[in-house]
Amino acid sequence: MQQQQQPQMNPQAAMPEPPQMVSTKDAMYFSDMMSWNLLAAKKAHFFASQCRDPEVVQAIERAGQMHQRHYNMILRHLQNPPQPPVM
């Protein structure tokens, strides 16, 4: 049986700058990403408060802080959209 080849990513085809407009589908995905990160940060904080082992607490808190940073990063990108080039 012959295997199907997966399409190769072409690094030259990467988008050099974000688009000026965000589609409805993209906006919904941003919303989902923010919800996932916020929920993960909240769960990590809760689970860390339930642990007694300081090393486990520290590891879970670091994971929660990572999700909080990702949430804040997405929020900053959405609050500061790219400006159109000046000609």
XYZ file of all heavy atoms in Angstrom:
703
model
N 0.838 -1.189 0.000
C 0.000 0.000 0.000
C 0.882 1.252 0.000
O 1.798 1.374 0.797
C -0.903 -0.039 1.243
C -1.819 1.107 1.338
S -2.952 0.832 2.739
C -4.151 1.999 2.333
N 0.597 2.172 -0.863
C 1.395 3.381 -1.000
C 0.946 4.434 0.013
O -0.240 4.672 0.185
C 1.247 3.917 -2.422
C 2.135 5.087 -2.706
C 1.979 5.557 -4.151
O 1.145 5.056 -4.884
N 2.779 6.513 -4.534
N 1.922 5.047 0.688
C 1.599 6.086 1.662
C 1.374 7.412 0.948
O 2.042 7.732 -0.024
C 2.741 6.268 2.659
C 2.884 5.146 3.634
C 3.984 5.459 4.639
O 4.829 6.311 4.418
N 3.946 4.767 5.748
N 0.403 8.160 1.469
C 0.169 9.492 0.922
C 1.165 10.454 1.560
O 1.438 10.369 2.748
C -1.247 9.953 1.227
C -2.299 9.170 0.502
C -3.684 9.696 0.830
O -3.874 10.478 1.743
N -4.664 9.248 0.056
N 1.696 11.332 0.757
C 2.639 12.303 1.286
C 1.891 13.508 1.823
O 0.921 13.973 1.232
C 3.612 12.752 0.213
C 4.590 11.676 -0.182
C 5.623 12.223 -1.143
O 5.478 13.299 -1.700
N 6.693 11.464 -1.331
N 2.361 13.984 2.971
C 1.789 15.180 3.562
C 2.369 16.404 2.856
O 3.535 16.410 2.462
C 2.138 15.255 5.058
C 1.554 14.122 5.871
C 0.047 14.179 5.911
O -0.525 15.253 6.015
N -0.602 13.038 5.814
N 1.562 17.461 2.699
C 2.098 18.675 2.075
C 3.201 19.275 2.941
O 3.122 19.256 4.163
C 0.890 19.610 1.991
C -0.159 19.014 2.853
C 0.176 17.576 3.068
N 4.232 19.749 2.289
C 5.360 20.349 2.993
C 5.079 21.825 3.277
O 4.495 22.516 2.455
C 6.634 20.234 2.140
C 7.067 18.809 1.886
C 7.608 18.146 3.137
O 8.260 18.785 3.942
N 7.320 16.866 3.295
N 5.511 22.281 4.453
C 5.392 23.702 4.775
C 6.494 24.446 4.022
O 7.649 24.055 4.064
C 5.547 23.942 6.276
C 4.398 23.417 7.096
S 2.854 24.266 6.769
C 3.222 25.874 7.407
N 6.131 25.490 3.339
C 7.087 26.293 2.609
C 7.372 27.544 3.438
O 6.513 28.419 3.554
C 6.522 26.662 1.232
C 7.493 27.464 0.407
O 8.586 27.808 0.863
N 7.100 27.766 -0.814
N 8.570 27.655 4.020
C 8.846 28.816 4.869
C 8.767 30.139 4.126
O 8.502 31.167 4.714
C 10.257 28.563 5.400
C 10.824 27.463 4.592
C 9.694 26.765 3.908
N 8.953 30.106 2.808
C 8.864 31.340 2.041
C 7.415 31.785 1.888
O 7.145 32.928 1.571
C 9.512 31.160 0.680
C 11.008 30.920 0.779
C 11.613 30.582 -0.565
O 10.911 30.290 -1.524
N 12.932 30.614 -0.635
N 6.474 30.885 2.121
C 5.065 31.215 1.974
C 4.479 31.769 3.273
O 3.305 32.070 3.335
C 4.280 29.982 1.542
N 5.297 31.900 4.307
C 4.812 32.422 5.584
C 4.370 33.871 5.418
O 4.939 34.638 4.634
C 5.896 32.331 6.646
N 3.336 34.220 6.163
C 2.804 35.577 6.096
C 3.783 36.522 6.807
O 4.056 36.346 7.991
C 1.439 35.615 6.792
C 0.719 36.909 6.625
S -0.903 36.921 7.449
C -1.724 35.573 6.650
N 4.349 37.507 6.097
C 5.338 38.395 6.715
C 4.737 39.326 7.767
O 5.405 39.695 8.716
C 5.902 39.186 5.545
C 4.836 39.118 4.496
C 4.102 37.827 4.711
N 3.483 39.686 7.617
C 2.810 40.567 8.570
C 1.385 40.075 8.754
O 0.808 39.459 7.854
C 2.773 42.001 8.032
C 4.136 42.640 7.946
C 4.055 44.080 7.482
O 2.978 44.693 7.584
O 5.075 44.574 7.005
N 0.799 40.359 9.913
C -0.597 39.943 10.111
C -1.526 40.713 9.175
O -1.216 41.824 8.758
C -0.884 40.294 11.571
C 0.202 41.188 12.010
C 1.350 41.026 11.071
N -2.647 40.122 8.830
C -3.589 40.819 7.944
C -4.182 42.044 8.641
O -4.208 42.124 9.868
C -4.656 39.770 7.654
C -4.567 38.807 8.775
C -3.144 38.821 9.242
N -4.661 42.988 7.860
C -5.251 44.214 8.409
C -6.618 43.947 9.028
O -7.086 44.712 9.850
C -5.380 45.278 7.314
C -4.052 45.751 6.771
C -3.195 46.403 7.839
O -3.669 47.193 8.637
N -1.927 46.052 7.863
N -7.250 42.858 8.607
C -8.596 42.550 9.066
C -8.618 41.138 9.627
O -7.928 40.259 9.135
C -9.552 42.630 7.882
C -10.877 43.216 8.196
S -11.743 43.586 6.670
C -12.744 42.152 6.566
N -9.417 40.921 10.665
C -9.555 39.599 11.261
C -10.935 39.066 10.874
O -11.944 39.751 11.052
C -9.425 39.677 12.801
C -9.688 38.340 13.440
C -8.048 40.204 13.186
N -10.952 37.853 10.348
C -12.229 37.264 9.951
C -13.036 36.882 11.193
O -12.498 36.790 12.303
C -11.990 36.020 9.093
O -11.468 34.975 9.893
N -14.313 36.635 11.005
C -15.175 36.210 12.103
C -14.673 34.900 12.685
O -14.628 34.731 13.907
C -16.628 36.045 11.605
O -17.059 37.294 11.055
C -17.551 35.632 12.723
N -14.258 33.996 11.819
C -13.743 32.702 12.281
C -12.484 32.899 13.126
O -12.327 32.273 14.173
C -13.441 31.808 11.081
C -12.996 30.422 11.453
C -12.806 29.575 10.211
C -12.367 28.173 10.583
N -12.213 27.317 9.409
N -11.581 33.781 12.685
C -10.370 34.065 13.451
C -10.707 34.702 14.793
O -10.109 34.363 15.815
C -9.433 34.982 12.669
C -8.773 34.289 11.491
O -8.682 33.047 11.501
O -8.358 35.002 10.554
N -11.656 35.622 14.807
C -12.053 36.285 16.049
C -12.616 35.269 17.044
O -12.332 35.340 18.245
C -13.081 37.376 15.764
N -13.382 34.312 16.542
C -13.925 33.278 17.422
C -12.798 32.396 17.956
O -12.811 31.985 19.122
C -14.978 32.447 16.689
C -16.244 33.239 16.439
S -17.590 32.470 15.501
C -17.180 30.811 15.261
N -11.796 32.136 17.137
C -10.664 31.329 17.588
C -9.868 32.082 18.656
O -9.448 31.489 19.651
C -9.778 30.928 16.410
C -8.691 29.965 16.805
C -9.011 28.682 17.250
C -7.365 30.323 16.767
C -8.024 27.793 17.634
C -6.371 29.447 17.151
C -6.700 28.185 17.583
O -5.722 27.313 17.971
N -9.667 33.390 18.475
C -8.996 34.186 19.508
C -9.765 34.111 20.820
O -9.186 33.954 21.894
C -8.868 35.659 19.083
C -7.792 35.911 18.067
C -8.079 36.636 16.921
C -6.507 35.464 18.252
C -7.097 36.887 15.983
C -5.512 35.702 17.324
C -5.811 36.422 16.182
N -11.066 34.224 20.733
C -11.913 34.135 21.921
C -11.748 32.776 22.603
O -11.616 32.693 23.827
C -13.369 34.379 21.532
O -14.206 34.223 22.640
N -11.737 31.725 21.807
C -11.540 30.378 22.353
C -10.173 30.255 23.027
O -10.064 29.721 24.132
C -11.662 29.320 21.261
C -13.088 29.086 20.806
O -14.027 29.515 21.521
O -13.270 28.462 19.740
N -9.125 30.745 22.349
C -7.772 30.657 22.925
C -7.700 31.378 24.264
O -7.096 30.891 25.215
C -6.731 31.249 21.967
C -6.391 30.376 20.794
S -4.937 30.935 19.860
C -5.393 32.579 19.366
N -8.332 32.546 24.331
C -8.321 33.299 25.589
C -9.073 32.536 26.671
O -8.607 32.442 27.812
C -8.904 34.688 25.379
C -8.006 35.567 24.529
S -8.674 37.207 24.279
C -8.386 37.913 25.893
N -10.207 31.957 26.320
C -10.987 31.180 27.296
C -10.195 29.981 27.790
O -10.184 29.689 28.995
C -12.298 30.700 26.669
O -13.123 31.791 26.365
N -9.532 29.264 26.875
C -8.757 28.087 27.266
C -7.625 28.473 28.222
O -7.403 27.801 29.224
C -8.157 27.395 26.052
C -9.152 26.887 25.060
C -10.427 26.430 25.311
C -8.972 26.782 23.652
N -11.038 26.058 24.145
C -10.173 26.259 23.102
C -7.921 27.073 22.789
C -10.336 26.016 21.749
C -8.098 26.835 21.440
C -9.283 26.319 20.926
N -6.913 29.549 27.898
C -5.796 29.968 28.743
C -6.268 30.475 30.095
O -5.653 30.178 31.122
C -4.948 31.019 28.022
C -3.981 30.389 27.063
O -2.999 29.788 27.478
N -4.253 30.501 25.779
N -7.354 31.230 30.123
C -7.868 31.730 31.400
C -8.340 30.570 32.267
O -8.045 30.524 33.473
C -9.005 32.722 31.157
C -9.550 33.432 32.391
C -8.450 34.192 33.125
C -10.679 34.371 31.994
N -9.053 29.622 31.685
C -9.523 28.468 32.444
C -8.344 27.652 32.978
O -8.343 27.225 34.141
C -10.431 27.593 31.579
C -10.987 26.343 32.250
C -11.844 26.718 33.463
C -11.807 25.533 31.256
N -7.330 27.442 32.147
C -6.160 26.680 32.583
C -5.445 27.395 33.731
O -5.005 26.754 34.693
C -5.202 26.465 31.413
N -5.333 28.727 33.660
C -4.692 29.487 34.730
C -5.493 29.363 36.029
O -4.921 29.159 37.111
C -4.547 30.954 34.329
N -6.802 29.474 35.936
C -7.654 29.353 37.128
C -7.579 27.953 37.729
O -7.499 27.801 38.949
C -9.109 29.688 36.778
C -9.348 31.160 36.535
C -10.808 31.404 36.181
C -11.103 32.867 36.002
N -12.533 33.096 35.707
N -7.614 26.928 36.873
C -7.530 25.553 37.373
C -6.188 25.298 38.042
O -6.124 24.647 39.090
C -7.755 24.550 36.237
C -9.196 24.404 35.837
C -9.369 23.308 34.801
C -10.835 23.078 34.514
N -11.035 21.906 33.646
N -5.114 25.797 37.434
C -3.791 25.608 38.025
C -3.733 26.251 39.405
O -3.224 25.656 40.361
C -2.712 26.184 37.114
N -4.271 27.454 39.532
C -4.271 28.133 40.826
C -5.067 27.322 41.855
O -4.629 27.131 42.995
C -4.841 29.541 40.689
C -4.862 30.301 41.963
N -3.703 30.760 42.569
C -5.875 30.659 42.784
C -4.020 31.370 43.693
N -5.333 31.318 43.849
N -6.215 26.807 41.450
C -7.037 26.005 42.350
C -6.302 24.732 42.766
O -6.230 24.402 43.950
C -8.375 25.646 41.699
C -9.162 24.643 42.502
C -9.845 25.040 43.648
C -9.194 23.311 42.125
C -10.552 24.110 44.406
C -9.899 22.380 42.875
C -10.574 22.778 44.015
N -5.751 24.005 41.781
C -5.080 22.743 42.107
C -3.838 22.979 42.962
O -3.536 22.182 43.852
C -4.741 21.962 40.847
C -5.948 21.398 40.157
C -6.154 21.597 38.802
C -6.900 20.670 40.864
C -7.275 21.077 38.167
C -8.025 20.146 40.242
C -8.216 20.353 38.887
N -3.125 24.072 42.711
C -1.952 24.383 43.536
C -2.378 24.621 44.983
O -1.665 24.232 45.916
C -1.212 25.587 42.973
N -3.542 25.232 45.165
C -4.013 25.492 46.539
C -4.429 24.205 47.249
O -4.534 24.184 48.468
C -5.182 26.486 46.529
O -6.362 25.866 46.040
N -4.653 23.127 46.508
C -5.059 21.844 47.088
C -3.866 20.939 47.405
O -4.036 19.917 48.061
C -6.010 21.108 46.130
C -7.251 21.888 45.749
C -8.125 22.209 46.948
O -8.483 21.339 47.717
N -8.435 23.489 47.113
N -2.687 21.295 46.933
C -1.499 20.452 47.125
C -0.764 20.794 48.415
O -0.805 21.926 48.882
C -0.533 20.632 45.948
S -1.132 19.940 44.420
N -0.065 19.816 48.912
C 0.739 20.008 50.125
C 2.244 19.970 49.819
O 3.034 20.492 50.583
C 0.408 18.932 51.143
C -1.058 18.897 51.509
C -1.244 18.787 52.991
N -2.631 18.565 53.397
C -3.565 19.492 53.409
N -3.283 20.708 53.003
N -4.776 19.216 53.811
N 2.622 19.365 48.725
C 4.033 19.251 48.349
C 4.478 20.567 47.701
O 3.974 20.940 46.637
C 4.213 18.085 47.376
C 5.664 17.832 46.994
O 6.464 18.783 46.984
O 5.979 16.667 46.690
N 5.425 21.268 48.317
C 5.846 22.582 47.778
C 6.378 22.523 46.341
O 6.170 23.456 45.574
C 6.941 23.046 48.735
C 6.856 22.168 49.926
C 6.128 20.925 49.537
N 7.049 21.435 45.986
C 7.572 21.332 44.621
C 6.438 21.198 43.614
O 6.495 21.784 42.526
C 8.523 20.140 44.507
C 9.849 20.361 45.209
C 10.781 19.182 45.036
O 10.733 18.529 43.969
O 11.568 18.924 45.960
N 5.414 20.447 43.968
C 4.262 20.292 43.086
C 3.514 21.619 42.983
O 3.113 22.039 41.890
C 3.339 19.157 43.568
C 2.057 19.105 42.753
C 4.059 17.816 43.535
N 3.339 22.292 44.115
C 2.671 23.598 44.121
C 3.410 24.552 43.188
O 2.794 25.230 42.354
C 2.596 24.180 45.549
C 2.139 25.633 45.519
C 1.683 23.345 46.423
N 4.728 24.586 43.306
C 5.532 25.497 42.477
C 5.392 25.157 40.991
O 5.240 26.053 40.156
C 6.994 25.425 42.906
C 7.871 26.442 42.218
C 9.309 26.364 42.694
O 9.769 25.317 43.142
N 10.014 27.474 42.587
N 5.421 23.869 40.639
C 5.300 23.463 39.241
C 3.929 23.843 38.684
O 3.825 24.352 37.559
C 5.534 21.954 39.108
N 2.884 23.610 39.469
C 1.527 23.943 39.000
C 1.361 25.452 38.876
O 0.756 25.945 37.919
C 0.464 23.333 39.943
C 0.523 21.806 39.875
C -0.927 23.825 39.571
C -0.354 21.111 40.904
N 1.901 26.212 39.833
C 1.822 27.678 39.758
C 2.559 28.206 38.532
O 2.093 29.131 37.878
C 2.369 28.321 41.036
C 1.443 28.226 42.226
C 0.173 29.052 42.089
O 0.071 29.903 41.176
O -0.730 28.845 42.917
N 3.711 27.610 38.205
C 4.446 28.031 36.991
C 3.608 27.777 35.745
O 3.564 28.613 34.838
C 5.783 27.296 36.886
C 6.885 27.901 37.711
C 8.274 27.404 37.292
N 8.345 25.973 37.071
C 8.717 25.074 37.979
N 9.043 25.447 39.189
N 8.774 23.785 37.661
N 2.940 26.638 35.695
C 2.076 26.337 34.542
C 0.938 27.349 34.464
O 0.604 27.843 33.374
C 1.521 24.913 34.652
N 0.337 27.678 35.606
C -0.735 28.672 35.630
C -0.260 30.044 35.184
O -0.959 30.748 34.439
N 0.940 30.419 35.611
C 1.500 31.712 35.208
C 1.779 31.746 33.709
O 1.584 32.776 33.059
C 2.779 31.997 36.002
C 2.515 32.268 37.464
C 3.779 32.213 38.311
O 4.869 31.962 37.804
N 3.618 32.438 39.601
N 2.200 30.617 33.149
C 2.432 30.545 31.705
C 1.123 30.805 30.959
O 1.084 31.587 30.000
C 2.984 29.178 31.310
C 3.125 28.989 29.808
S 3.249 27.281 29.266
C 1.662 26.614 29.734
N 0.043 30.172 31.411
C -1.254 30.377 30.751
C -1.733 31.818 30.918
O -2.322 32.390 29.996
C -2.288 29.383 31.286
C -2.059 27.991 30.791
N -2.241 27.627 29.478
C -1.643 26.877 31.439
C -1.944 26.340 29.334
N -1.586 25.864 30.506
N -1.460 32.416 32.074
C -1.835 33.818 32.289
C -1.052 34.726 31.344
O -1.601 35.663 30.762
C -1.576 34.216 33.744
C -2.005 35.634 34.073
C -3.503 35.832 33.987
O -4.256 35.020 34.499
N -3.936 36.895 33.351
N 0.240 34.437 31.161
C 1.056 35.226 30.220
C 0.519 35.091 28.799
O 0.448 36.076 28.066
C 2.523 34.781 30.260
C 3.299 35.294 31.431
C 4.803 35.071 31.267
N 5.175 33.704 30.929
C 5.365 32.720 31.811
N 5.220 32.946 33.097
N 5.715 31.515 31.398
N 0.146 33.867 28.402
C -0.395 33.672 27.056
C -1.707 34.442 26.875
O -1.929 35.059 25.834
C -0.612 32.184 26.777
C 0.662 31.417 26.656
N 0.695 30.060 26.514
C 1.959 31.815 26.657
C 1.952 29.658 26.425
N 2.737 30.707 26.518
N -2.560 34.408 27.888
C -3.817 35.159 27.851
C -3.523 36.647 27.650
O -4.106 37.297 26.786
C -4.594 34.935 29.147
C -5.852 35.745 29.257
C -7.063 35.247 28.781
C -5.850 37.016 29.826
C -8.227 35.996 28.868
C -7.005 37.763 29.911
C -8.190 37.250 29.442
O -9.338 37.996 29.522
N -2.600 37.181 28.456
C -2.257 38.608 28.367
C -1.634 38.962 27.024
O -1.892 40.033 26.477
C -1.314 39.003 29.507
C -2.014 38.995 30.849
O -3.228 39.164 30.938
N -1.258 38.764 31.908
N -0.834 38.047 26.474
C -0.202 38.298 25.174
C -1.259 38.390 24.071
O -1.213 39.301 23.238
C 0.795 37.180 24.861
C 1.606 37.420 23.611
S 2.698 36.036 23.166
C 3.480 35.640 24.709
N -2.209 37.473 24.083
C -3.282 37.514 23.080
C -4.081 38.804 23.236
O -4.398 39.480 22.254
C -4.204 36.283 23.219
C -3.430 35.004 22.911
C -5.410 36.409 22.292
C -4.144 33.737 23.352
N -4.384 39.157 24.474
C -5.146 40.377 24.741
C -4.410 41.615 24.220
O -5.007 42.474 23.573
C -5.428 40.504 26.237
C -6.305 41.661 26.671
C -7.682 41.570 26.037
C -6.425 41.672 28.197
N -3.089 41.694 24.469
C -2.302 42.844 23.974
C -2.337 42.917 22.455
O -2.468 43.996 21.881
C -0.857 42.742 24.458
C -0.622 43.269 25.845
C 0.862 43.466 26.137
N 1.685 42.323 25.804
C 1.911 41.285 26.611
N 1.381 41.233 27.803
N 2.698 40.298 26.213
N -2.219 41.765 21.797
C -2.250 41.761 20.328
C -3.600 42.237 19.813
O -3.665 42.932 18.798
C -1.941 40.374 19.776
C -0.491 40.008 19.849
N 0.487 40.716 19.194
C 0.144 39.011 20.505
C 1.657 40.178 19.431
N 1.480 39.138 20.227
N -4.655 41.871 20.494
C -5.986 42.289 20.050
C -6.254 43.761 20.356
O -6.998 44.417 19.632
C -7.060 41.414 20.705
C -7.047 39.951 20.266
C -8.054 39.142 21.073
C -7.331 39.827 18.778
N -5.647 44.281 21.410
C -5.843 45.683 21.761
C -4.997 46.612 20.911
O -5.321 47.775 20.754
C -5.508 45.911 23.242
C -6.522 45.312 24.174
C -6.102 45.418 25.625
O -4.913 45.522 25.947
N -7.069 45.376 26.518
N -3.897 46.113 20.383
C -2.987 46.922 19.574
C -2.858 46.322 18.181
O -1.822 45.763 17.828
C -1.594 46.985 20.229
C -1.660 47.615 21.585
O -2.288 48.640 21.762
N -1.013 46.998 22.551
N -3.915 46.435 17.361
C -3.839 45.837 16.024
C -2.781 46.542 15.191
O -2.427 47.697 15.453
C -5.232 46.075 15.452
C -5.765 47.226 16.209
C -5.138 47.168 17.577
N -2.240 45.851 14.189
C -1.230 46.475 13.331
C -1.812 47.667 12.601
O -2.978 47.670 12.215
C -0.820 45.367 12.369
C -1.970 44.405 12.382
C -2.607 44.520 13.746
N -0.993 48.674 12.440
C -1.413 49.888 11.751
C -1.114 49.750 10.273
O -0.098 49.170 9.884
C -0.665 51.103 12.311
C -0.917 51.321 13.793
C -2.377 51.588 14.095
O -3.026 52.357 13.408
N -2.899 50.918 15.117
N -1.980 50.291 9.412
C -1.706 50.216 7.969
C -0.440 51.030 7.644
O -0.149 52.019 8.305
C -2.949 50.833 7.333
C -3.649 51.573 8.401
C -3.211 50.991 9.717
N 0.301 50.577 6.645
C 1.524 51.305 6.276
C 1.191 52.708 5.777
O 0.189 52.929 5.119
C 2.142 50.451 5.176
C 1.084 49.527 4.711
C 0.036 49.444 5.791
N 2.040 53.657 6.136
C 1.881 55.034 5.700
C 2.634 55.195 4.390
O 3.771 54.815 4.264
C 2.439 56.021 6.764
C 2.323 57.449 6.291
C 1.733 55.819 8.084
N 1.951 55.788 3.411
C 2.585 55.969 2.100
C 2.816 57.406 1.821
O 2.315 58.306 2.208
C 1.725 55.345 1.023
C 1.609 53.888 1.208
S 1.115 53.183 -0.358
C 1.288 51.484 0.041
